[in-house]
Amino acid sequence: MAIERTFSIIKPDATARNVTGAINAMIEKSGLRIVAQKRIRMTREQAEIFYAVHRERPFFRELVEFMISGPVVVQVLEGDNAIAVYRDLMGATDPAKAADGTIRKVLAKSIGENSVHGSDAADTANKEIAQFFAGNEIIG
Ligand code: CMP
């Protein structure tokens, strides 16, 4: 297995409920290492760029409004097979369909307010990490 990095966002519904530590505990229990982390207020422009792939979807406007509605925690996670491991740990996009023990099953509220984001592939992980972190902010 290869050591990989993936990009994570703890979303506004989770920061509002003060569960960033609970999510980080689940991440660390899975074996992933948090090698960069900062709490930010995403700008509209950052959110529109980040979710540009969803621009034509009916939920795009709602998604952008939600992501700028409160603080988020952006993170870089590192570990064996990190992209797939984190996607498994997050669970299905819709918390109602997420497996027991996953972050979204335990903590998320709805398909929109689903507590966390994780990259879906290596190329998107690199792109997403580069949008929010300089190389010298990631300490492995
Ligand atoms: P995320 O992994 O951040 O990537 C795209 C996001 O779009 C997804 O999580 C959901 O939060 C959001 N999303 C997907 N489908 C819907 C939907 N039907 N309504 C609102 N938001 C959605």
Side-chain angles (χ1 to χ4, degrees):
M1 272 202 275
I3 295 284
E4 281 179 340
R5 286 178 174 171
T6 191
F7 181 72
S8 161
I9 305 176
I10 302 179
K11 296 187 180 185
D13 67 285
T15 60
R17 285 176 287 133
N18 211 20
V19 293
T20 60
I23 291 172
N24 281 351
M26 293 174 81
I27 289 170
E28 291 183 335
K29 195 163 177 230
S30 79
L32 293 171
R33 200 168 277 276
I34 302 164
V35 295
Q37 172 169 261
K38 56 191 171 190
R39 183 174 168 107
I40 62 166
R41 210 47 202 249
M42 217 182 257
T43 66
R44 181 177 299 277
E45 190 188 12
Q46 281 176 316
E48 286 177 347
I49 290 169
F50 186 79
Y51 282 119
V53 67
H54 297 303
R55 191 173 289 278
E56 304 306 324
R57 303 279 195 96
F59 57 81
F60 179 71
R61 208 35 48 212
E62 184 189 327
L63 176 59
V64 168
E65 294 299 334
F66 169 58
M67 292 302 289
I68 66 175
S69 69
V72 299
V73 178
V74 290
Q75 304 175 306
V76 180
L77 310 181
E78 184 179 86
D80 276 338
N81 222 9
I83 294 165
V85 167
Y86 192 45
R87 289 188 75 79
D88 283 351
L89 177 63
M90 288 192 298
T93 305
D94 181 352
K97 296 179 184 153
D100 284 348
T102 60
I103 293 171
R104 286 169 172 157
K105 179 70 173 193
V106 174
L107 291 168
K109 297 171 72 179
S110 66
I111 193 164
E113 300 196 11
N114 64 354
S115 300
V116 280
H117 165 85
S119 308
D120 61 4
D123 56 340
T124 42
N126 291 336
K127 205 168 131 195
E128 291 174 357
I129 290 168
Q131 189 185 347
F132 291 96
F133 290 97
N136 65 3
E137 292 179 302
I138 305 167
I139 313 295

